[in-house]
PDB file of all heavy atoms in Angstrom:
ATOM      1  N   GLN Q 149       1.433   4.244   0.878  1.00  0.00           N
ATOM      2  CA  GLN Q 149       2.405   3.161   0.772  1.00  0.00           C
ATOM      3  C   GLN Q 149       3.284   3.300  -0.473  1.00  0.00           C
ATOM      4  O   GLN Q 149       4.428   2.874  -0.476  1.00  0.00           O
ATOM      5  CB  GLN Q 149       1.700   1.793   0.713  1.00  0.00           C
ATOM      6  CG  GLN Q 149       0.826   1.485   1.895  1.00  0.00           C
ATOM      7  CD  GLN Q 149      -0.626   1.922   1.707  1.00  0.00           C
ATOM      8  OE1 GLN Q 149      -0.933   2.875   1.010  1.00  0.00           O
ATOM      9  NE2 GLN Q 149      -1.521   1.216   2.360  1.00  0.00           N
ATOM     10  N   ASP Q 150       2.736   3.881  -1.514  1.00  0.00           N
ATOM     11  CA  ASP Q 150       3.449   3.995  -2.785  1.00  0.00           C
ATOM     12  C   ASP Q 150       3.967   5.402  -3.064  1.00  0.00           C
ATOM     13  O   ASP Q 150       4.581   5.631  -4.095  1.00  0.00           O
ATOM     14  CB  ASP Q 150       2.523   3.558  -3.934  1.00  0.00           C
ATOM     15  CG  ASP Q 150       2.050   2.128  -3.754  1.00  0.00           C
ATOM     16  OD1 ASP Q 150       2.880   1.268  -3.403  1.00  0.00           O
ATOM     17  OD2 ASP Q 150       0.848   1.874  -3.945  1.00  0.00           O
ATOM     18  N   MET Q 151       3.710   6.332  -2.162  1.00  0.00           N
ATOM     19  CA  MET Q 151       4.166   7.714  -2.352  1.00  0.00           C
ATOM     20  C   MET Q 151       5.637   7.862  -2.002  1.00  0.00           C
ATOM     21  O   MET Q 151       6.175   7.092  -1.218  1.00  0.00           O
ATOM     22  CB  MET Q 151       3.415   8.655  -1.392  1.00  0.00           C
ATOM     23  CG  MET Q 151       2.045   8.998  -1.769  1.00  0.00           C
ATOM     24  SD  MET Q 151       1.432  10.166  -0.510  1.00  0.00           S
ATOM     25  CE  MET Q 151      -0.073  10.636  -1.289  1.00  0.00           C
ATOM     26  N   ALA Q 152       6.231   8.890  -2.561  1.00  0.00           N
ATOM     27  CA  ALA Q 152       7.552   9.288  -2.098  1.00  0.00           C
ATOM     28  C   ALA Q 152       7.419   9.635  -0.618  1.00  0.00           C
ATOM     29  O   ALA Q 152       6.404  10.204  -0.193  1.00  0.00           O
ATOM     30  CB  ALA Q 152       8.049  10.495  -2.884  1.00  0.00           C
ATOM     31  N   LEU Q 153       8.418   9.285   0.166  1.00  0.00           N
ATOM     32  CA  LEU Q 153       8.375   9.514   1.608  1.00  0.00           C
ATOM     33  C   LEU Q 153       8.037  10.960   1.937  1.00  0.00           C
ATOM     34  O   LEU Q 153       7.188  11.240   2.780  1.00  0.00           O
ATOM     35  CB  LEU Q 153       9.716   9.126   2.236  1.00  0.00           C
ATOM     36  CG  LEU Q 153       9.827   9.327   3.739  1.00  0.00           C
ATOM     37  CD1 LEU Q 153      10.659   8.216   4.358  1.00  0.00           C
ATOM     38  CD2 LEU Q 153      10.412  10.672   4.091  1.00  0.00           C
ATOM     39  N   THR Q 154       8.691  11.893   1.278  1.00  0.00           N
ATOM     40  CA  THR Q 154       8.483  13.309   1.593  1.00  0.00           C
ATOM     41  C   THR Q 154       7.038  13.740   1.323  1.00  0.00           C
ATOM     42  O   THR Q 154       6.490  14.558   2.047  1.00  0.00           O
ATOM     43  CB  THR Q 154       9.509  14.196   0.855  1.00  0.00           C
ATOM     44  OG1 THR Q 154       9.546  15.470   1.478  1.00  0.00           O
ATOM     45  CG2 THR Q 154       9.232  14.332  -0.616  1.00  0.00           C
ATOM     46  N   ASP Q 155       6.408  13.166   0.302  1.00  0.00           N
ATOM     47  CA  ASP Q 155       5.014  13.508  -0.001  1.00  0.00           C
ATOM     48  C   ASP Q 155       4.071  12.955   1.068  1.00  0.00           C
ATOM     49  O   ASP Q 155       3.145  13.637   1.498  1.00  0.00           O
ATOM     50  CB  ASP Q 155       4.616  12.981  -1.376  1.00  0.00           C
ATOM     51  CG  ASP Q 155       5.379  13.649  -2.507  1.00  0.00           C
ATOM     52  OD1 ASP Q 155       5.854  14.799  -2.325  1.00  0.00           O
ATOM     53  OD2 ASP Q 155       5.516  13.020  -3.574  1.00  0.00           O
ATOM     54  N   ALA Q 156       4.312  11.713   1.487  1.00  0.00           N
ATOM     55  CA  ALA Q 156       3.472  11.116   2.534  1.00  0.00           C
ATOM     56  C   ALA Q 156       3.614  11.889   3.847  1.00  0.00           C
ATOM     57  O   ALA Q 156       2.620  12.236   4.487  1.00  0.00           O
ATOM     58  CB  ALA Q 156       3.843   9.648   2.728  1.00  0.00           C
ATOM     59  N   ALA Q 157       4.864  12.179   4.231  1.00  0.00           N
ATOM     60  CA  ALA Q 157       5.103  12.915   5.480  1.00  0.00           C
ATOM     61  C   ALA Q 157       4.490  14.309   5.415  1.00  0.00           C
ATOM     62  O   ALA Q 157       3.844  14.758   6.363  1.00  0.00           O
ATOM     63  CB  ALA Q 157       6.601  13.001   5.761  1.00  0.00           C
ATOM     64  N   GLN Q 158       4.668  14.985   4.313  1.00  0.00           N
ATOM     65  CA  GLN Q 158       4.152  16.349   4.166  1.00  0.00           C
ATOM     66  C   GLN Q 158       2.632  16.379   4.224  1.00  0.00           C
ATOM     67  O   GLN Q 158       2.053  17.299   4.791  1.00  0.00           O
ATOM     68  CB  GLN Q 158       4.655  16.983   2.867  1.00  0.00           C
ATOM     69  CG  GLN Q 158       4.038  18.320   2.532  1.00  0.00           C
ATOM     70  CD  GLN Q 158       4.286  19.415   3.564  1.00  0.00           C
ATOM     71  OE1 GLN Q 158       5.098  19.274   4.474  1.00  0.00           O
ATOM     72  NE2 GLN Q 158       3.585  20.512   3.436  1.00  0.00           N
ATOM     73  N   THR Q 159       1.992  15.385   3.655  1.00  0.00           N
ATOM     74  CA  THR Q 159       0.530  15.349   3.674  1.00  0.00           C
ATOM     75  C   THR Q 159       0.014  15.275   5.109  1.00  0.00           C
ATOM     76  O   THR Q 159      -0.998  15.890   5.439  1.00  0.00           O
ATOM     77  CB  THR Q 159       0.010  14.170   2.832  1.00  0.00           C
ATOM     78  OG1 THR Q 159       0.542  14.290   1.508  1.00  0.00           O
ATOM     79  CG2 THR Q 159      -1.499  14.162   2.763  1.00  0.00           C
ATOM     80  N   VAL Q 160       0.727  14.577   5.970  1.00  0.00           N
ATOM     81  CA  VAL Q 160       0.322  14.483   7.378  1.00  0.00           C
ATOM     82  C   VAL Q 160       0.742  15.740   8.143  1.00  0.00           C
ATOM     83  O   VAL Q 160      -0.038  16.324   8.885  1.00  0.00           O
ATOM     84  CB  VAL Q 160       0.938  13.233   8.051  1.00  0.00           C
ATOM     85  CG1 VAL Q 160       0.585  13.187   9.538  1.00  0.00           C
ATOM     86  CG2 VAL Q 160       0.470  11.971   7.356  1.00  0.00           C
ATOM     87  N   GLN Q 161       1.966  16.167   7.950  1.00  0.00           N
ATOM     88  CA  GLN Q 161       2.553  17.224   8.782  1.00  0.00           C
ATOM     89  C   GLN Q 161       2.211  18.652   8.350  1.00  0.00           C
ATOM     90  O   GLN Q 161       2.191  19.550   9.171  1.00  0.00           O
ATOM     91  CB  GLN Q 161       4.080  17.086   8.797  1.00  0.00           C
ATOM     92  CG  GLN Q 161       4.586  15.851   9.503  1.00  0.00           C
ATOM     93  CD  GLN Q 161       4.335  15.880  10.994  1.00  0.00           C
ATOM     94  OE1 GLN Q 161       3.465  15.184  11.479  1.00  0.00           O
ATOM     95  NE2 GLN Q 161       5.093  16.660  11.721  1.00  0.00           N
ATOM     96  N   VAL Q 162       2.028  18.882   7.070  1.00  0.00           N
ATOM     97  CA  VAL Q 162       1.773  20.208   6.518  1.00  0.00           C
ATOM     98  C   VAL Q 162       2.858  21.190   6.976  1.00  0.00           C
ATOM     99  O   VAL Q 162       2.594  22.187   7.634  1.00  0.00           O
ATOM    100  CB  VAL Q 162       0.351  20.714   6.874  1.00  0.00           C
ATOM    101  CG1 VAL Q 162      -0.007  21.939   6.054  1.00  0.00           C
ATOM    102  CG2 VAL Q 162      -0.694  19.633   6.663  1.00  0.00           C
ATOM    103  N   SER Q 163       4.083  20.881   6.614  1.00  0.00           N
ATOM    104  CA  SER Q 163       5.241  21.661   7.024  1.00  0.00           C
ATOM    105  C   SER Q 163       5.497  22.841   6.086  1.00  0.00           C
ATOM    106  O   SER Q 163       5.134  22.809   4.913  1.00  0.00           O
ATOM    107  CB  SER Q 163       6.477  20.747   7.015  1.00  0.00           C
ATOM    108  OG  SER Q 163       7.661  21.478   7.170  1.00  0.00           O
ATOM    109  N   ALA Q 164       6.170  23.837   6.608  1.00  0.00           N
ATOM    110  CA  ALA Q 164       6.603  24.966   5.775  1.00  0.00           C
ATOM    111  C   ALA Q 164       7.761  24.548   4.871  1.00  0.00           C
ATOM    112  O   ALA Q 164       8.112  25.269   3.946  1.00  0.00           O
ATOM    113  CB  ALA Q 164       7.022  26.137   6.664  1.00  0.00           C
ATOM    114  N   TYR Q 165       8.360  23.380   5.141  1.00  0.00           N
ATOM    115  CA  TYR Q 165       9.485  22.859   4.355  1.00  0.00           C
ATOM    116  C   TYR Q 165       9.131  21.464   3.850  1.00  0.00           C
ATOM    117  O   TYR Q 165       9.654  20.453   4.343  1.00  0.00           O
ATOM    118  CB  TYR Q 165      10.755  22.831   5.215  1.00  0.00           C
ATOM    119  CG  TYR Q 165      11.055  24.174   5.823  1.00  0.00           C
ATOM    120  CD1 TYR Q 165      10.686  24.466   7.134  1.00  0.00           C
ATOM    121  CD2 TYR Q 165      11.668  25.174   5.065  1.00  0.00           C
ATOM    122  CE1 TYR Q 165      10.940  25.720   7.689  1.00  0.00           C
ATOM    123  CE2 TYR Q 165      11.913  26.430   5.615  1.00  0.00           C
ATOM    124  CZ  TYR Q 165      11.548  26.688   6.923  1.00  0.00           C
ATOM    125  OH  TYR Q 165      11.786  27.926   7.458  1.00  0.00           O
ATOM    126  N   PRO Q 166       8.256  21.361   2.867  1.00  0.00           N
ATOM    127  CA  PRO Q 166       7.703  20.063   2.463  1.00  0.00           C
ATOM    128  C   PRO Q 166       8.708  19.058   1.902  1.00  0.00           C
ATOM    129  O   PRO Q 166       8.478  17.862   1.995  1.00  0.00           O
ATOM    130  CB  PRO Q 166       6.665  20.439   1.402  1.00  0.00           C
ATOM    131  CG  PRO Q 166       7.081  21.771   0.908  1.00  0.00           C
ATOM    132  CD  PRO Q 166       7.723  22.461   2.073  1.00  0.00           C
ATOM    133  N   ASP Q 167       9.808  19.497   1.360  1.00  0.00           N
ATOM    134  CA  ASP Q 167      10.769  18.562   0.770  1.00  0.00           C
ATOM    135  C   ASP Q 167      11.840  18.109   1.753  1.00  0.00           C
ATOM    136  O   ASP Q 167      12.675  17.265   1.422  1.00  0.00           O
ATOM    137  CB  ASP Q 167      11.435  19.205  -0.451  1.00  0.00           C
ATOM    138  CG  ASP Q 167      10.423  19.527  -1.541  1.00  0.00           C
ATOM    139  OD1 ASP Q 167       9.466  18.746  -1.707  1.00  0.00           O
ATOM    140  OD2 ASP Q 167      10.580  20.562  -2.216  1.00  0.00           O
ATOM    141  N   ALA Q 168      11.845  18.647   2.949  1.00  0.00           N
ATOM    142  CA  ALA Q 168      12.926  18.387   3.907  1.00  0.00           C
ATOM    143  C   ALA Q 168      12.931  16.955   4.436  1.00  0.00           C
ATOM    144  O   ALA Q 168      13.972  16.462   4.863  1.00  0.00           O
ATOM    145  CB  ALA Q 168      12.840  19.373   5.070  1.00  0.00           C
ATOM    146  N   TYR Q 169      11.806  16.268   4.406  1.00  0.00           N
ATOM    147  CA  TYR Q 169      11.743  14.915   4.954  1.00  0.00           C
ATOM    148  C   TYR Q 169      12.582  13.920   4.156  1.00  0.00           C
ATOM    149  O   TYR Q 169      13.103  12.962   4.707  1.00  0.00           O
ATOM    150  CB  TYR Q 169      10.291  14.436   5.011  1.00  0.00           C
ATOM    151  CG  TYR Q 169       9.407  15.334   5.836  1.00  0.00           C
ATOM    152  CD1 TYR Q 169       8.490  16.180   5.234  1.00  0.00           C
ATOM    153  CD2 TYR Q 169       9.508  15.347   7.224  1.00  0.00           C
ATOM    154  CE1 TYR Q 169       7.693  17.025   5.988  1.00  0.00           C
ATOM    155  CE2 TYR Q 169       8.713  16.180   7.989  1.00  0.00           C
ATOM    156  CZ  TYR Q 169       7.805  17.018   7.359  1.00  0.00           C
ATOM    157  OH  TYR Q 169       7.021  17.847   8.110  1.00  0.00           O
ATOM    158  N   ALA Q 170      12.712  14.151   2.865  1.00  0.00           N
ATOM    159  CA  ALA Q 170      13.393  13.197   1.982  1.00  0.00           C
ATOM    160  C   ALA Q 170      14.832  12.931   2.401  1.00  0.00           C
ATOM    161  O   ALA Q 170      15.336  11.814   2.237  1.00  0.00           O
ATOM    162  CB  ALA Q 170      13.356  13.700   0.543  1.00  0.00           C
TER     163      ALA Q 170
END
Side-chain angles (χ1 to χ4, degrees):
Q149 301 91 330
D150 301 316
M151 283 182 171
L153 179 144
T154 198
D155 295 335
Q158 172 61 11
T159 304
V160 176
Q161 293 292 106
V162 192
S163 170
Y165 306 98
D167 298 325
Y169 302 106

